[in-house]
C-alpha cells in the first residue's frame, strides 16, 4: 500500500494532527503535550517581546525547536488584512525566511469568526509576497474556492467557534468544500474531544488543527495522546470505507446450521 | 534621543545602532524580529542600522498560540 502522507506546500508529513501551543500551564507542559500528540506542524503566535523582563526567560522556540517541528506562525489577534500581512512578514524574519503561515483575520472578539473580506485581501498580498498560506476560513464553499484559486496551500474551515469545543457543527458544508477542493482541507477550531477529531477525519478531512481541546483538558498530555489515536483511527476508517447505513438488522452470524 | 520601543518611550544614546539597542536589552542571539517604522530590518542589517529620533521600533518573538 502506498504510504499515506499529508503534503502541504510540497512537504510530506506523517502526522495529520496539527497543534497549537497556547493556553498551557507552562513551557514544560507545552513540550510534553506536543510530544505526546505526535504532531509535526505546530502553530505559534507572534507578539511583542517583554522588554527588560527576565532576559533569561526560556523561549517557546527553545522548547518547540524549528529543527524538529515545522513551525506555523499564525496571525491570531489580527482584525485587518494589513495587520495580518505585517505579522506574517515579521514571522518570516523571525524564522529565517520560512514562508509557511497560518492566516486568520478575525471579525470580532466574541466569536473570533473569520472576516472573509479581510482574509481574501490578506491572502492576495501574501501570495504575491511568496508566502505559503494555510488559511482559517468560514464554512462557505464559495469563499473556500476563491481562497484556493488565489493560491492557498490549505483551506481550514472552522468546525465551530475557536475554543468552543462544540465539535463539527457544519459537516455538510465541510463536505461540499472538500468535494471541490484540490488542496488539503483541514478542520481548524471547534474540536472538543477525541470523537470530534475522529469524525473530521472519517469525513475525509486531510488533517485537523487544534489547541484548546488539548490544552484545556484536565490532563493535556493524556488528551494529546488521545487525539493522536483519534486522528489515526479516523483516517484509517476513512480509507477503509465505512459500511452502508441500513434501516434494519442484518445478522452477523450465519443462519445455516442452527440447532433445532 | 527618544524612541518608541514596543509602544513605550525609551531614551537611547544619539547615533546608536539597532544592534547596540538589542545588546542593551540582552536580546542578542535570541529569536526575535525587528521592525522600525513598520519596515522589517533583517538580522544582517542590525549592526548598520542607526536609530533616529522618534523611531517606532517593534521587537517581537514567538509565543504560545493556536
Amino acid at each position: 500500500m502506498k504510504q499515506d502522507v499529508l503534503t502541504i506546500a510540497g512537504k510530506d508529513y506523517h502526522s495529520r494532527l496539527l497543534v497549537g501551543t497556547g493556553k498551557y500551564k507552562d513551557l514544560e507542559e507545552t513540550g510534553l503535550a506536543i510530544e505526546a500528540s505526535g504532531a509535526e506542524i505546530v502553530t505559534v503566535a507572534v507578539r511583542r517581546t517583554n522588554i527588560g523582563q527576565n532576559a533569561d526567560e526560556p523561549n517557546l522556540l527553545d522548547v518547540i525547536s524549528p529543527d524538529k517541528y515545522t513551525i506555523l506562525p499564525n496571525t491570531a489577534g489580527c482584525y485587518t488584512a494589513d495587520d495580518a500581512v505585517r505579522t506574517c512578514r515579521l514571522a518570516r524574519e523571525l524564522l529565517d525566511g520560512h514562508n509557511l503561515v497560518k492566516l486568520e483575520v478575525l471579525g470580532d472578539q466574541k466569536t473570533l469568526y473569520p472576516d472573509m473580506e479581510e482574509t481574501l485581501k490578506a491572502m492576495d498580498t501574501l501570495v504575491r509576497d511568496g508566502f505559503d498560506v494555510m488559511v482559517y476560513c468560514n464554512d462557505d464553499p464559495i469563499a473556500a474556492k476563491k481562497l484556493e484559486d488565489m493560491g492557498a496551500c490549505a483551506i481550514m474551515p472552522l468546525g465551530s467557534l475557536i475554543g468552543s469545543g462544540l465539535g463539527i457543527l457544519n459537516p455538510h458544508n465541510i463536505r461540499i468544500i472538500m468535494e471541490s477542493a484540490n488542496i488539503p482541507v483541514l478542520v481548524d477550531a471547534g474540536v472538543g474531544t477525541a470523537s470530534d477529531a475522529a469524525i473530521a477525519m472519517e469525513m475525509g478531512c486531510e488533517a485537523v488543527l487544534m489547541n484548546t481541546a488539548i490544552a484545556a483538558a484536565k490532563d493535556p498530555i493524556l488528551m494529546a495522546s488521545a487525539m493522536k489515536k483519534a486522528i489515526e483511527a479516523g483516517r484509517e476508517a476513512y480509507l477503509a470505507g465505512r459500511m452502508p447505513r441500513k434501516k434494519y438488522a442484518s445478522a452477523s452470524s450465519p443462519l445455516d446450521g442452527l440447532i433445532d | 534621543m527618544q524612541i518608541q520601543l514596543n509602544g513605550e518611550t525609551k531614551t537611547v544614546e544619539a547615533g546608536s545602532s539597532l544592534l547596540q539597542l538589542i545588546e542593551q536589552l540582552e536580546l542578542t542571539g535570541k529569536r526575535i524580529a525587528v521592525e522600525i517604522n513598520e519596515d522589517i530590518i533583517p538580522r544582517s542589517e542590525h549592526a548598520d542600522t542607526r536609530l533616529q529620533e522618534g523611531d517606532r521600533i517593534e521587537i517581537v518573538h514567538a509565543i504560545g498560540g493556536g
Side-chain angles (χ1 to χ4, degrees):
Chain A
M1 187 180 132
K2 193 169 152 274
Q3 215 180 9
D4 181 41
V5 294
L6 167 69
T7 306
I8 292 176
K11 193 170 169 194
D12 290 344
Y13 299 93
H14 298 280
S15 167
R16 291 176 180 271
L17 174 57
L18 287 70
V19 294
T21 50
K23 300 184 182 169
Y24 285 98
K25 187 177 70 186
D26 51 34
L27 282 179
E28 189 195 355
E29 188 183 71
T30 310
L32 291 171
I34 306 301
E35 185 75 40
S37 76
E40 296 168 288
I41 303 178
V42 178
T43 65
V44 303
V46 177
R47 292 290 181 273
R48 282 174 165 169
T49 304
N50 292 329
I51 301 296
Q53 286 178 15
N54 194 1
D56 292 330
E57 200 181 312
N59 187 299
L60 175 65
L61 296 181
D62 297 334
V63 179
I64 309 297
S65 165
D67 299 330
K68 187 171 173 196
Y69 298 97
T70 294
I71 305 296
L72 180 62
N74 69 26
T75 62
C78 292
Y79 290 85
T80 65
D82 287 347
D83 281 349
V85 169
R86 190 176 168 194
T87 302
C88 288
R89 289 180 176 149
L90 280 165
R92 179 159 64 184
E93 164 66 12
L94 184 64
L95 295 166
D96 304 315
H98 166 90
N99 279 323
L100 187 69
V101 291
K102 170 183 162 179
L103 172 64
E104 52 179 306
V105 189
L106 306 172
D108 70 28
Q109 291 187 3
K110 191 173 172 187
T111 65
L112 300 178
Y113 206 78
D115 179 330
M116 291 312 295
E117 191 184 348
E118 291 295 309
T119 301
L120 287 159
K121 225 196 286 180
M123 184 76 204
D124 184 55
T125 310
L126 290 172
V127 169
R128 284 169 203 273
D129 205 359
F131 283 97
D132 294 318
V133 186
M134 301 178 72
V135 53
Y136 170 66
C137 56
N138 63 13
D139 57 7
D140 170 355
I142 307 302
K145 196 69 205 163
K146 280 186 189 172
L147 290 166
E148 177 178 353
D149 291 345
M150 290 170 89
C153 68
I155 306 169
M156 308 200 290
L158 74 174
S160 48
L161 299 183
I162 292 174
S164 70
L166 291 175
I168 317 293
L169 298 183
N170 49 6
H172 303 290
N173 276 30
I174 290 180
R175 260 194 206 101
I176 294 171
I177 291 173
M178 285 190 297
E179 267 174 25
S180 60
N182 299 303
I183 54 174
V185 176
L186 286 73
V187 162
D188 179 3
V191 166
T193 188
S195 53
D196 296 330
I199 286 169
M201 295 308 295
E202 286 171 14
M203 284 168 51
C205 288
E206 288 278 336
V208 176
L209 198 166
M210 65 179 78
N211 188 151
T212 312
I214 298 175
K218 278 187 191 147
D219 183 340
I221 298 156
L222 189 57
M223 187 57 92
S225 161
M227 290 300 184
K228 178 179 191 235
K229 292 169 187 162
I231 294 284
E232 287 169 0
R235 179 65 183 174
E236 287 185 10
Y238 167 73
L239 293 174
R242 63 154 295 146
M243 62 161 281
R245 288 182 171 84
K246 289 178 200 154
K247 202 168 171 189
Y248 292 104
S250 162
S252 301
S253 308
L255 299 175
D256 289 347
L258 278 172
I259 49 172
D260 287 328
Chain B
M1 66 178 186
Q2 293 201 323
I3 55 166
Q4 292 290 317
L5 176 62
N6 286 3
E8 312 235 333
T9 305
K10 187 176 168 65
T11 306
V12 295
E13 211 176 302
S16 51
S17 73
L18 176 56
L19 187 64
Q20 283 169 322
L21 174 67
I22 290 168
E23 280 166 0
Q24 204 189 330
L25 297 169
E26 296 180 47
L27 293 172
T28 316
K30 303 262 180 187
R31 288 183 186 276
I32 53 167
V34 185
E35 227 183 32
I36 300 183
N37 305 328
E38 300 197 17
D39 284 326
I40 288 178
I41 312 298
R43 209 155 303 168
S44 58
E45 294 172 18
H46 287 183
D48 295 332
T49 302
R50 298 282 145 200
L51 303 182
Q52 310 285 333
E53 175 80 37
D55 273 350
R56 284 170 293 116
I57 302 174
E58 295 286 342
I59 303 182
V60 301
H61 67 159
I63 64 155

